[in-house]
Amino acid sequence: DGGITQSPKYLFRKEGQNVTLSCEQNLNHDAMYWYRQDPGQGLRLIYYSQIVNDFQKGDIAEGYSVSREKKESFPLTVTSAQKNPTAFYLCASSIGRGGAETQYFGPGTRLLVL
Amino acid sequence: KNEVEQSPQNLTAQEGEFITINCSYSVGISALHWLQQHPGGGIVSLFMLSSGKKKHGRLIATINIQEKHSSLHITASHPRDSAVYICAALPNTGNQFYFGTGTSLTVIP
């Protein structure tokens, strides 16, 4: 049963703490993406990766970091430098690297600041 | 300025009604993606299109490249269609989508 999984579903962050959101896919997709969703706004791209060991900044990369050591995994770290991290985070993947391809989304992680 | 605009922002319909959601964009695009977001937050891809029309069940998506406009139609709407519908445009010159803010649809039995 192929798909994208994200964990945890809910995550709480304390001030000054780094937290890592997990994203795993078993679709054998090359490209993976991290988006942030805030109320009343469209999804905004944080980082994307088109191939293992390579990733690119999106529109709102400041305060976030990623790694792509394995094809199936693309974890996102929300660092203490991200001053407004409360949001819904969505991971997605697509089969190729060209951009004009269907993206498949995970169920999302809701991050809340304590 | 948002490159992708959707209308209406909110829509309430009676079960069985024909529904239209509109998406306009300001740049030349190579593809447009329609997505459905369920109340729990999960997003499902409905259509990817670059010209003409696509149909899947009760859903129809059309795009007019010259007018920079796309529509999503739902025929014989049902309460289970209640969700947020999002369009996303892929510019000719880029490899990342620009997303609209979504249309929240509620279908009342």
Side-chain angles (χ1 to χ4, degrees):
Chain A
D1 199 13
I4 300 178
T5 56
Q6 290 185 242
S7 62
K9 190 172 182 179
Y10 296 94
L11 185 58
F12 298 92
R13 193 191 93 163
K14 295 180 183 177
E15 292 289 336
Q17 188 182 41
N18 292 354
V19 291
T20 297
L21 285 60
S22 168
C23 177
E24 304 276 331
Q25 54 99 358
N26 60 3
L27 300 167
N28 200 33
H29 285 176
D30 282 321
M32 296 187 75
Y33 312 83
W34 273 107
Y35 294 98
R36 170 178 170 140
Q37 188 177 37
D38 294 281
Q41 296 191 41
L43 273 69
R44 291 183 291 167
L45 183 65
I46 305 172
Y47 269 98
Y48 66 101
S49 167
Q50 295 177 308
I51 194 170
V52 174
N53 291 323
D54 187 52
F55 48 82
Q56 308 294 329
K57 292 182 180 180
D59 295 329
I60 55 165
E62 186 174 347
Y64 300 97
S65 66
V66 293
S67 63
R68 187 87 186 276
E69 297 176 2
K70 298 186 295 182
K71 188 175 186 178
E72 57 269 24
S73 180
F74 191 40
L76 173 75
T77 297
V78 184
T79 74
S80 56
Q82 173 48 246
K83 297 307 177 190
N84 185 22
T86 296
F88 189 55
Y89 292 86
L90 286 152
C91 178
S93 70
S94 62
I95 192 167
R97 312 168 200 171
E101 288 158 353
T102 298
Q103 293 193 9
Y104 297 85
F105 287 81
T109 292
R110 196 165 297 278
L111 177 60
L112 299 164
V113 177
L114 296 177
Chain B
K1 181 183 178 299
N2 200 3
E3 288 84 357
V4 178
E5 300 282 351
Q6 287 186 239
S7 63
Q9 209 169 2
N10 297 286
L11 181 56
T12 300
Q14 291 287 337
E15 183 174 356
E17 283 186 14
F18 180 84
I19 288 162
T20 296
I21 298 170
N22 297 298
C23 176
S24 298
Y25 46 91
S26 56
V27 297
I29 68 166
S30 58
L32 189 127
H33 207 167
W34 278 104
L35 304 160
Q36 180 190 54
Q37 185 169 31
H38 296 285
I43 291 180
V44 173
S45 172
L46 298 175
F47 297 103
M48 175 81 80
L49 66 168
S50 56
S51 64
K53 179 165 104 172
K54 286 191 176 180
K55 185 176 188 292
H56 181 69
R58 295 180 295 105
L59 300 177
I60 303 166
T62 63
I63 189 167
N64 185 319
I65 295 292
Q66 287 75 25
E67 294 187 5
K68 294 186 168 63
H69 182 267
S70 176
S71 293
L72 177 68
H73 306 285
I74 305 175
T75 61
S77 60
H78 190 276
R80 64 174 174 265
D81 297 326
S82 298
V84 175
Y85 292 84
I86 299 169
C87 76
L90 183 68
N92 282 328
T93 54
N95 61 358
Q96 65 179 65
F97 282 90
Y98 289 104
F99 291 79
T101 55
T103 293
S104 179
L105 170 66
T106 302
V107 181
I108 300 170

